[in-house]
Amino acid sequence: MRINLIYIIILSLLLVSCFTGVEHTGKITLPAESKTEKQSPEDAFIGSYFVPQGCDSWRIGKTFYYTDDKLSVVFQAERPTFPDSVSLKGKIFTYTGYVEESPFGGEKKVVLLFECEGRKFRYDTDKTRAEITRLKYTPLIPPFIDLDDLDMARSLLKGRTLYIKTPMWYDRQGEAINGRKLVPVEVLDIRPGNNVLPVEVWFKDDQGNEAGVFMSLLTSDRSQYITFDRLFSFDNPRLQYEEIEDGAWEQITLSRVKVGMTKAECKLSLGNPDEVKKIPTYSGLREQWIYNSGAYLFFIDGLLSEYRL
């Protein structure tokens, strides 16, 4: 009788557990809402005007700026060899059409045809017309800069005032120089860039200094390279940091720091540190920021006390 009573008690507890869903059922939560990162106005601007198109949409006469001295290995000259003594840098290649060939009797593959100063060149796509259309295929020819894109960028940006986000500027010889960031610049011209970053934005800052930066015309979500939204802002960033005093803001634009700046101001100036150390001292907790460049900062009570850049 006592054993039966124990069984009844246990069964009762199990039934209660099943009905309440507390003891044996995990916590039920609603699926998290998908968070989509809002596209920046700058990224949306580029995405609106520079839409990827396949080479099947190229018109006869489309032109490309060539950035290398030598002929790329992806090209075949109409003649068996192309003289090394002839520099191609800065020359214009014109698209003259395509042919379909099947040299080994298989499917016909598209060969793109170009001309430069009377010389003819071929690019084997190794793709059929159907594949090119389906994939919106555009050949990867690193020395080529699409002059249609360059002209479009020039028409959209030349004369505009933007706010530059990077202090890594370049002079007329293409040498890196120390610039300023988060300051207004007027776009003076859009020029051909290089094999990796095809566009150079040439500008003048609010102090009359002229310089350039290189970028890609792809949007950030399609490129790991330096894009327009990573270099420029349409809005004045100073308005987001009105609490920062003018003296500290001037240091930030120069990517410098000074004693007394806050952690937020130093981060805005130099970026996130690569390592942070908490150091106990007799007077309290001291914090050290370390950068891979060799720079370090020390903070006491949240304010910069000493540093080395």
Side-chain angles (χ1 to χ4, degrees), residues 58-72 74-77 82 86-96 112-123 141 143-148:
W58 287 358
R59 70 186 190 283
I60 303 298
K62 183 177 178 63
T63 53
F64 300 86
Y65 180 96
Y66 202 84
T67 59
D68 270 356
D69 281 315
K70 305 300 181 184
L71 182 65
S72 173
V74 302
F75 274 124
Q76 292 179 354
F82 185 79
V86 177
S87 174
L88 290 171
K89 189 176 182 67
K91 296 191 182 300
I92 305 300
F93 277 64
T94 302
Y95 173 64
T96 59
L112 303 177
L113 306 176
F114 300 89
E115 186 173 312
C116 177
E117 297 185 346
R119 294 184 173 90
K120 299 182 184 301
F121 303 88
R122 300 158 50 92
Y123 179 91
I141 307 175
F144 266 13
I145 295 175
D146 189 328
L147 288 179
D148 287 341

Side-chain angles (χ1 to χ4, degrees), residues 186-289:
E186 178 190 355
V187 178
L188 300 178
D189 197 10
I190 302 295
R191 304 173 175 178
N194 53 50
N195 292 3
V196 178
L197 300 171
V199 176
E200 181 185 22
V201 181
W202 190 258
F203 57 83
K204 177 174 65 176
D205 71 6
D206 56 342
Q207 296 179 351
N209 302 306
E210 291 190 17
V213 291
F214 295 91
M215 70 176 190
S216 166
L217 283 173
L218 296 173
T219 58
S220 291
D221 60 352
R222 292 190 292 107
S223 174
Q224 61 180 338
Y225 297 118
I226 300 172
T227 50
F228 179 75
D229 67 305
R230 293 171 178 153
L231 291 176
F232 296 102
S233 170
F234 291 131
D235 300 320
N236 185 355
R238 181 72 173 101
L239 301 179
Q240 302 176 38
Y241 303 100
E242 294 181 347
E243 73 282 1
I244 298 179
E245 296 181 356
D246 289 342
W249 184 258
E250 179 65 21
Q251 296 299 307
I252 290 170
T253 64
L254 296 169
S255 300
R256 299 175 184 169
V257 295
K258 66 176 183 178
V259 171
M261 288 176 67
T262 66
K263 292 180 185 179
E265 291 167 348
C266 291
K267 188 175 293 185
L268 193 59
S269 181
L270 302 180
N272 292 320
D274 298 292
E275 184 182 355
V276 176
K277 292 182 178 180
K278 306 285 187 177
I279 306 171
T281 66
Y282 289 110
S283 57
L285 194 64
R286 195 180 190 210
E287 188 170 313
Q288 183 183 18
W289 287 9

Side-chain angles (χ1 to χ4, degrees), residues 270 272-275 289-297 308-309:
L270 302 180
N272 292 320
D274 298 292
E275 184 182 355
W289 287 9
I290 302 171
Y291 292 85
N292 288 339
S293 63
Y296 62 76
L297 312 178
R308 185 187 72 182
L309 298 181

